[in-house]
Amino acid sequence: MNTYILGIESSCDDTSASILHNGTILSNCIANQEAHKLYGGVVPEVASRAHQANIVPVVDMAIKKAGINKEDISAIAFTRGPGLMGSLIVGVSFAKAFAMSLGVPMVEVNHMKAHVLAHFAEDPKPSFPFLCLTVSGGHTQIVVVKDYLDMEVIGHTIDDAAGEAFDKTGKLLGLDYPAGPLIDKYAKQGKAVYSFTEPRIADLNFSFSGLKTGILYFLKRELKKDPDFITKNLADICASVQDRIVSILMNKLTKAAQQTGIKNIAIAGGVSANSGLRNALQEAGIKNGWTTYVPKFEYCTDNAAMIAVTGYYKFLNKDFIGQEVAPLARMKI
Ligand code: KG4
Ligand code: ZN
């Protein structure tokens, strides 16, 4: 049987559509929204308007790139949440209308589950159970993945997400949004010579707000002594910030691996594109005898391929949702 799943992602500021054929990705098209750079962060109203403009062309492109006709689509998988309400409404409404016109079933997808299942977009695929550190602009979680659709969050952030820590630091440094990829780039040219304290949080939870405040006061102090401190030392500041964020993440991930005894370890989400984190995971893997899984770059940040993959496993379970479905800004794994 030929199963073609159309995946749709619109939870934040990327509009994406993907076609999956029997578990294999045929297309994964993404329209990024440059407009947010002007504001130093995602502006919900701007995001939903851009989704509205992009959704039809992006879906059209995904279908064309896959070399299929819209009539071939077996089901439509869409992000129901969590995310920005105005952004989600565009994807959900489009999915409903398109599913109705094609007469195909719909599958609702949890965006955070999808980040984890991005590992099943291509080989090598992790074997169960595995631990996944999901680090994005809105979330930071350690998830025990028992099966495709059976996941348990054992650690989460109590304030900012890891991506926010990168982006907010970038703002202090005068970098464009999203600053994560820029800090990663500059960090490669510098050394982690400045030390920022690690938060003392019990159990497997994370906190990044103290780090942000620490960086703010550090910069204020140094800028008083030398107004050009940031320009002169940007690479070293970025290397130091990245080093600390990565060590906070890796320390908790290592603790989670010790506590659960799980040795299949994965990272996912936008921050898993970070070269410092990717290197640290490989090193820890060698040291601790882990099998590590790092997604391809295009499956780290928001994309519809991960929505189509998740939708496919739910489709196999005939886990469909009706036209009464509404988006959820908050949605648990
Ligand atoms: O998963 P994602 O695309 O969207 C959300 O669901 O939030 O993650 C976006 C986040 C942003 O905070 C961005 O700065 C961060 O991922 N990011 C990175 C890198 N690439 C993206 N952070 C650090 N280093 C990177 N190379
Ligand atoms: Zn995401």
Side-chain angles (χ1 to χ4, degrees):
M1 194 181 110
N2 279 325
T3 302
Y4 291 95
I5 307 286
L6 165 65
I8 292 173
E9 158 61 29
S10 74
S11 66
C12 191
D13 59 339
D14 296 313
T15 320
S16 181
S18 167
I19 298 284
L20 188 85
H21 174 229
N22 293 348
T24 301
I25 289 167
L26 300 183
S27 62
N28 182 35
C29 301
I30 304 172
N32 303 116
Q33 302 180 2
E34 298 293 317
H36 305 287
K37 274 190 180 151
L38 296 172
Y39 305 98
V42 176
V43 183
E45 171 83 15
V46 174
S48 49
R49 283 169 191 252
H51 282 304
Q52 188 65 28
N54 293 338
I55 189 112
V56 172
V58 168
V59 169
D60 200 36
M61 195 192 297
I63 293 171
K64 283 208 178 91
K65 222 173 154 192
I68 64 163
N69 297 312
K70 63 181 190 308
E71 291 75 20
D72 296 324
I73 293 169
S74 320
I76 299 179
F78 62 90
T79 303
R80 184 178 183 188
L84 299 171
M85 185 46 90
S87 292
L88 290 165
I89 283 175
V90 178
V92 175
S93 304
F94 176 85
K96 286 196 206 189
F98 203 29
M100 189 182 267
S101 75
L102 294 176
V104 297
M106 285 185 297
V107 183
E108 53 136 28
V109 170
N110 179 307
H111 181 84
M112 298 311 293
K113 263 192 183 151
H115 268 303
V116 174
L117 294 183
H119 283 281
F120 294 88
E122 277 181 20
D123 288 334
K125 294 167 182 157
S127 39
F128 301 111
F130 66 93
L131 279 185
C132 188
L133 171 72
T134 314
V135 269
S136 70
H139 295 85
T140 301
Q141 299 179 334
I142 299 178
V143 187
V144 179
V145 190
K146 299 167 197 170
D147 206 340
Y148 295 109
L149 301 167
D150 186 4
M151 303 182 191
E152 186 191 347
V153 177
I154 57 169
H156 62 91
T157 180
I158 58 167
D159 41 56
D160 289 348
E164 272 177 297
F166 275 106
D167 296 336
K168 287 181 176 174
T169 304
K171 211 169 183 177
L172 297 175
L173 296 173
L175 302 177
D176 275 351
Y177 175 86
L182 294 171
I183 292 182
D184 192 354
K185 185 180 119 188
Y186 293 124
K188 285 182 189 143
Q189 301 152 20
K191 282 208 168 76
V193 293
Y194 307 111
S195 171
F196 301 108
T197 48
E198 182 157 357
R200 288 183 198 283
I201 305 288
D203 53 46
L204 297 173
N205 290 336
F206 301 90
S207 167
F208 289 100
S209 65
L211 176 66
K212 185 190 63 192
T213 316
I215 296 167
L216 174 70
Y217 286 121
F218 164 78
L219 290 175
K220 272 191 176 163
R221 223 172 30 240
E222 295 300 328
L223 284 169
K224 234 184 213 170
K225 289 187 250 167
D226 178 0
D228 295 326
F229 176 75
I230 293 178
T231 335
K232 285 180 188 161
N233 301 287
L234 185 62
D236 286 347
I237 302 169
C238 289
S240 309
V241 169
Q242 179 168 299
D243 200 59
R244 177 49 80 217
I245 295 174
V246 169
S247 76
I248 293 172
L249 294 171
M250 286 307 300
N251 287 347
K252 293 290 174 150
L253 186 58
T254 307
K255 200 169 167 187
Q258 283 163 353
Q259 280 184 15
T260 58
I262 296 174
K263 283 184 173 284
N264 292 323
I265 314 285
I267 53 173
V271 180
S272 67
N274 184 265
S275 58
L277 181 59
R278 291 165 94 95
N279 292 339
L281 181 74
Q282 305 294 8
E283 279 169 24
I286 294 165
K287 188 172 154 214
N288 299 311
W290 298 342
T291 307
T292 56
Y293 299 91
V294 177
K296 260 171 86 175
F297 284 113
E298 69 172 302
Y299 305 129
C300 289
T301 43
D302 288 346
N303 67 89
M306 67 184 195
I307 306 303
V309 169
T310 311
Y312 178 61
Y313 292 113
K314 294 188 86 173
F315 177 89
L316 295 178
N317 288 346
K318 296 197 167 41
D319 187 355
F320 302 128
I321 193 112
Q323 281 283 340
E324 70 287 352
V325 63
L328 297 170
R330 286 166 176 267
M331 192 178 179
K332 284 203 166 140
I333 265 196

